[in-house]
Amino acid sequence: MSYTSRHKILIVDDAETNVAVIKDYLAKDYDVISANNGNDALELVKTEKPDLILLDVIMPVIDGFKVCKIIKHDYKMDFIPVVMLTALTSKEDHHKGIEVGADDFLKKPVEKFELEKKITSLLRIKDQHDILLKDRNKAYDYLDYVGVLIAVLDTDCRLVHINKKGAELLGYKRNNIINRPWIELFVAHDNIDHVTENYDNLKKGLIKQYEYHEYTIITSTGKQRLYKWYDSILTDENNKIYGIVISGEDITDKKIAEIKLQEYADQLKRSNDLKDLFTDILRHDLLNPAGLVMSFTEFLGETKLDEKQQHMLKNIKTSNLKLIELIESAAHLAKFESMERIELNRVNLASILNDCTNNYLLDMKNKRMSVEFLFKGNYPSLANPVIERVFSNLLSNAIKYSNNDSVIKISIEDLGEKWKVGIVDQGDGIPDKDKNTVFERFKRLHKDNIRGSGIGLAIVKRIVELHNEKVWVADNPEGKGSIFWLTLKKA
C-alpha cells in the first residue's frame, strides 16, 4: 500500500446503530467498510485487506473471539491490529481476548477521543511494521539474485527463509522446505553433532560471527556437497537473538581440485627429488670414465707417437674435455632449475667482468681477438657469486662464435635503480625468429661448424631469473654480430 493514501478500517458489529456512530467518527479521515456478522467480516478481511479492524465481541453464529482467532492464526494476519469492542469487563474476557490475539480493547459505548487515539497509535505501529516487511521483502528479493545459498534460521534452527539460488542448489521448491528443521533435513549425518554445537556456541557468543567453517549438506537427490559457511546472528531492539543468517558456497569441486593439485604437487616433488638423485648419480658415473679417459690421454701424451697418432690423441682429448664440460653444465642447469631463490650480496660488477675476461685471455689470443671495456670505476650491485657463470658463458660464446681478429665490447649502463650490462660480439648474429628461443635448453642455432649443446644460455637465463632480472639478445647496433643484455639491481 502507499502510505500517503487513506487507511482502510473494517467495523464488525451486528448493531447497525453502533456501526453508524463509529462511521460518523471516522469517515473524515479513513475509508470505512463494515460487516454485521462474523462470516461476512472474514470474507472482507480476505478481499479488502483492511489496515485495522474494530470487532464486536458478542455476535450471533460466530462471536468476536473466534473471528479474531481465525484472522490471527488461520489467516496468519497477525500484523492487522484488532480492537475488541465489548461491554464485558471481567478479567477472564480480557485474558480470552489476549489469547486469541486481540491488540487492544474499547468499552462500549465508544468515546470518539479514545477511539481516535487508539486507532492512530495502532496504525502508526502497523505502518512501521509494513515498512519493515517491505524492506525485508526487498532484501529477500535481492538475495534471490545472489549466486550462493543464503538462508535464515530461527533459534530452533528451523528454516525461516532461503533464497531462490539456495533452493535450486538443494533441489527443492521453497514452499516445501520452509519451517522444516535445517540440521535434521539437510546436514549430513556425520556432521550433525558438529553443526548443532557450532550454532549453539554461536548463539551463546562462544564463537565469533562470520567465522568460516565447513560442513556437508545433502540435496534432494541424496548427493552430498561440501559447503563453506559464514554465519551471523539476528537480534531485535532489545538485543535478544531471534535467528541466524547462514551463507554457504559449494566448494565440493574446488576441494576435489585442491586435493588433485596437492597430489600432483607431491608427485612433482617426488619427481624433482628423483631428478636430483638421478643428476647426481649421472654426473658421478659419467665423470668417472671421462676422468679415466683424460688420465690415459695424458699418459699417452708422454709416450713417443707419430704425427697421425698425435693428431688422434688430440681429438680424443678435445672431445673428452667437451664431454666433461657438457656433464658439468647439465648438472649445474639441473641444480639451478631446482632452486627457488638465492642469496644476494654486494658485489662489484667491474671486478667480476675483469676477472672473467682474464680467464679467456688465452682463447682470445689464439683467435687474435681483443676485448674493449666501455666502463670505468666501481659498479656496486646486489648479486650472488654465481653471476660470474653468466658472464663466463656469454664471454665464451662471444669468443666461440666471433671471427678471428674481431673485438668484444663490454658495457655497463646506468638505469637508475639497476645496471644494464651488455656484451657485444662480431659473429654471424641471430635471426629475429630465433631471438626468443635462443635461451631455451638444447637450442643451438649454429650447427654447421661448431658443436655445442646450447645448455650455456639456458644456465644464463635461469641464473638471471633467480636474481628476478631479465636477459635478452639484440643485433649489434654497430654492425655484424649480437649484443646480449642483462640487468642487475644496484647495491
Side-chain angles (χ1 to χ4, degrees):
M1 64 171 286
S2 171
Y3 298 105
T4 59
S5 64
R6 287 157 61 93
H7 290 93
K8 185 183 294 184
I9 295 177
L10 170 62
I11 305 171
V12 186
D13 199 317
D14 60 338
E16 293 185 3
T17 303
N18 292 337
V19 174
V21 171
I22 296 175
K23 275 188 176 181
D24 186 58
Y25 289 162
L26 304 178
K28 181 180 177 181
D29 298 314
Y30 305 101
D31 292 333
V32 182
I33 57 176
S34 63
N36 58 15
N37 62 72
N39 288 328
D40 290 346
L42 293 173
E43 287 299 318
L44 286 174
V45 167
K46 289 192 290 185
T47 58
E48 296 293 332
K49 294 181 173 56
D51 298 300
L52 183 141
I53 302 171
L54 299 173
L55 180 61
D56 187 22
V57 172
I58 301 176
M59 293 185 296
V61 186
I62 304 178
D63 64 22
F65 293 129
K66 189 169 184 180
V67 172
C68 183
K69 183 178 181 180
I70 292 172
I71 293 172
K72 294 287 187 175
H73 298 280
D74 296 350
Y75 289 2
K76 299 187 183 300
M77 293 182 175
D78 56 328
F79 52 86
I80 297 180
V82 176
V83 180
M84 305 293 288
L85 304 177
T86 178
L88 304 175
T89 58
S90 68
K91 288 185 179 180
E92 290 78 8
D93 292 326
H94 274 259
H95 288 163
K96 188 174 181 180
I98 292 171
E99 287 176 359
V100 297
D103 296 279
D104 214 331
F105 300 86
L106 277 175
K107 183 179 178 182
K108 289 184 177 182
V110 177
E111 295 182 3
K112 181 179 180 183
F113 178 80
E114 187 179 8
L115 176 64
E116 289 178 343
K117 289 300 180 183
K118 284 193 181 293
I119 289 175
T120 301
S121 176
L122 290 170
L123 287 177
R124 185 184 300 116
I125 294 172
K126 182 182 183 296
D127 286 348
Q128 291 299 319
H129 179 275
D130 289 347
I131 291 172
L132 292 174
L133 189 64
K134 185 177 180 181
D135 290 343
R136 187 202 69 177
N137 291 337
K138 281 185 178 179
Y140 283 174
D141 290 342
Y142 169 76
L143 294 180
D144 283 343
Y145 293 97
V146 179
V148 297
L149 188 159
I150 298 179
V152 179
L153 311 180
D154 64 16
T155 53
D156 294 324
C157 291
R158 299 182 74 85
L159 188 62
V160 176
H161 176 77
I162 186 168
N163 66 336
K164 183 179 179 181
K165 184 65 176 179
E168 290 176 355
L169 291 171
L170 294 175
Y172 290 92
K173 291 183 178 180
R174 278 193 281 192
N175 292 339
N176 295 338
I177 55 177
I178 295 298
N179 294 322
R180 301 286 298 279
W182 172 261
I183 295 176
E184 289 84 348
L185 187 61
F186 297 110
V187 178
H189 181 74
D190 294 342
N191 298 150
I192 286 179
D193 291 341
H194 159 70
V195 176
T196 302
E197 182 182 6
N198 188 80
Y199 287 154
D200 286 344
N201 288 336
L202 180 67
K203 289 182 286 186
K204 294 175 183 176
L206 299 178
I207 60 176
K208 295 179 180 179
Q209 296 191 68
Y210 309 109
E211 192 168 309
Y212 140 78
H213 63 114
E214 297 177 3
Y215 64 81
T216 303
I217 62 174
I218 303 173
T219 68
S220 62
T221 59
K223 291 184 178 179
Q224 294 195 4
R225 305 292 295 181
L226 180 64
Y227 272 68
K228 176 194 289 186
W229 300 95
Y230 294 92
D231 309 321
S232 62
I233 57 175
L234 296 171
T235 57
D236 59 18
E237 64 275 7
N238 298 318
N239 209 32
K240 182 180 179 181
I241 297 173
Y242 67 87
I244 303 172
V245 176
I246 61 174
S247 172
E249 177 188 0
D250 189 338
I251 59 170
T252 309
D253 296 336
K254 181 180 178 182
K255 205 72 173 180
I256 293 173
E258 287 178 354
I259 293 172
K260 289 183 178 179
L261 185 62
Q262 184 59 50
E263 290 175 351
Y264 174 75
D266 293 341
Q267 292 174 0
L268 188 62
K269 184 179 183 304
R270 287 195 293 271
S271 297
N272 284 334
D273 293 342
L274 289 173
K275 184 192 74 173
D276 292 341
L277 178 62
F278 175 75
T279 301
D280 290 341
I281 294 173
L282 188 65
R283 178 174 179 270
H284 180 268
D285 289 352
L286 288 178
L287 282 179
N288 276 343
L292 289 174
V293 172
M294 182 61 68
S295 298
F296 287 138
T297 55
E298 289 177 354
F299 173 76
L300 291 174
E302 296 174 358
T303 62
K304 187 175 181 180
L305 301 172
D306 57 33
E307 185 176 347
K308 183 177 180 181
Q309 290 171 332
Q310 288 178 354
H311 179 71
M312 292 175 63
L313 186 61
K314 182 180 179 181
N315 287 340
I316 292 173
K317 188 174 183 179
T318 300
S319 298
N320 194 56
L321 285 172
K322 289 182 178 180
L323 176 62
I324 293 173
E325 180 185 357
L326 175 60
I327 295 169
E328 292 285 5
S329 295
H332 279 106
L333 179 59
K335 175 184 175 182
F336 290 132
E337 285 189 337
S338 65
M339 295 172 65
E340 294 183 0
R341 59 182 299 274
I342 56 175
E343 183 179 352
L344 303 182
N345 303 307
R346 182 186 175 94
V347 298
N348 181 11
L349 287 183
S351 176
I352 293 176
L353 287 167
N354 273 293
D355 291 343
C356 287
T357 303
N358 290 334
N359 293 333
Y360 291 95
L361 290 177
L362 180 60
D363 295 325
M364 287 189 285
K365 182 179 179 181
N366 292 335
K367 297 185 68 173
R368 301 183 302 278
M369 298 174 65
S370 62
V371 62
E372 182 178 348
F373 295 106
L374 305 179
F375 59 88
K376 292 182 180 180
N378 295 323
Y379 294 82
S381 177
L382 289 175
N384 186 278
V386 296
I387 198 68
E388 183 176 354
R389 178 172 287 275
V390 170
F391 298 134
S392 293
N393 283 351
L394 293 178
L395 279 169
S396 175
N397 284 347
I399 296 169
K400 188 182 300 181
Y401 296 119
S402 293
N403 297 322
N404 293 348
D405 303 307
S406 60
V407 178
I408 295 174
K409 297 181 179 182
I410 304 176
S411 64
I412 303 178
E413 298 180 16
D414 191 340
L415 297 183
E417 296 181 352
K418 297 183 180 184
W419 301 117
K420 180 181 176 183
V421 182
I423 297 178
V424 183
D425 64 55
Q426 294 180 336
D428 295 333
I430 299 173
D432 289 340
K433 65 181 180 66
D434 296 322
K435 284 185 172 66
N436 292 329
T437 59
V438 70
F439 294 98
E440 296 179 16
R441 70 176 79 178
F442 306 118
K443 290 282 186 177
R444 183 170 52 83
L445 305 181
H446 303 274
K447 299 180 180 179
D448 50 353
N449 58 354
I450 298 177
R451 294 181 181 179
S453 63
I455 293 179
L457 288 180
I459 293 176
V460 167
K461 181 183 179 183
R462 182 56 188 153
I463 293 176
V464 173
E465 287 176 343
L466 287 170
H467 284 76
N468 292 318
E469 297 296 334
K470 296 180 180 179
V471 61
W472 68 99
V473 63
D475 294 333
N476 182 356
E478 298 178 356
K480 187 178 179 181
S482 302
I483 178 169
F484 284 81
W485 293 106
L486 66 97
T487 57
L488 288 171
K489 294 179 182 66
K490 289 183 178 180

